[in-house]
Amino acid sequence: MYPCPCSQIHAPRRVVLTGGPGAGKTAVLELIRQSFCHHVKVLPEAASIVFGGGFPRGPVPAVQRASQRAIFYVQRELEAATTGERLAVVLHDRGTIDGLAYWPGPDDFWAGVGTSLGEQLARYDAVIHLRTPSADGGYDQSNPLRIEAAEEAQRIDERIADAWRDHPRRFVVESTESFLTKARRALALLLDEMPTCCRHHQVPALAGDAPP
Ligand SMILES: [Zn+2]
Ligand SMILES: [Zn+2]
């Protein structure tokens, strides 16, 4: 985090970074932590808190539904717990809408947590979706198990894209041969969300050539 001379009181913008398995979300978040000023706060991922804390997981639909509801509530309260810090951007490592992509059905996720898709879409100012690389781009193809895992990762990524499709400010970052190019696109999108009062330093990863 860069020290920042800005002393404005911002209306914090809520930005989601999402993406399927293998999309590079963790690496991009690390770059963001290193690159932006201390008025950008990166929230922890709710699913990591829930599963890392020992919440049961597995293929049984009742268990999947329980875990997705738990993740939803943790996500919502994480967002509620991040106020009053003079932040310019609150960056969410996934948002409540990602739960739809993991919900085993029936189609009643929102009713189950007492809200609606419209209400959840309105929580976020922007969403940046890092796409999972295709099975033949970025994965080792020599191992059939890995190809299967890659195809499953793409299916999840597709479901995430579908879940967020109605967000009015949704930015999709496709996979590129060079991961740095992809990461720079994501960082440039985040920079666009920053107020001018917080742009006192050059973002190192964006220095030099403008991202293509
Ligand atoms: Zn700042
Ligand atoms: Zn500022």
Side-chain angles (χ1 to χ4, degrees), residues 2-7 10 36-40 86 88 194-195 197-201:
Y2 275 75
C4 175
C6 173
S7 58
H10 313 96
F36 284 83
C37 76
H38 66 279
H39 297 110
V40 176
R86 291 199 173 220
M194 291 295 289
C197 56
C198 271
R199 295 193 189 194
H200 291 277
H201 75 279

Side-chain angles (χ1 to χ4, degrees), residues 14 97 117-125 167:
R14 288 167 296 186
I97 289 167
L117 175 63
E119 213 170 87
Q120 296 307 309
L121 287 169
R123 294 175 79 86
Y124 304 110
D125 294 297
H167 196 283

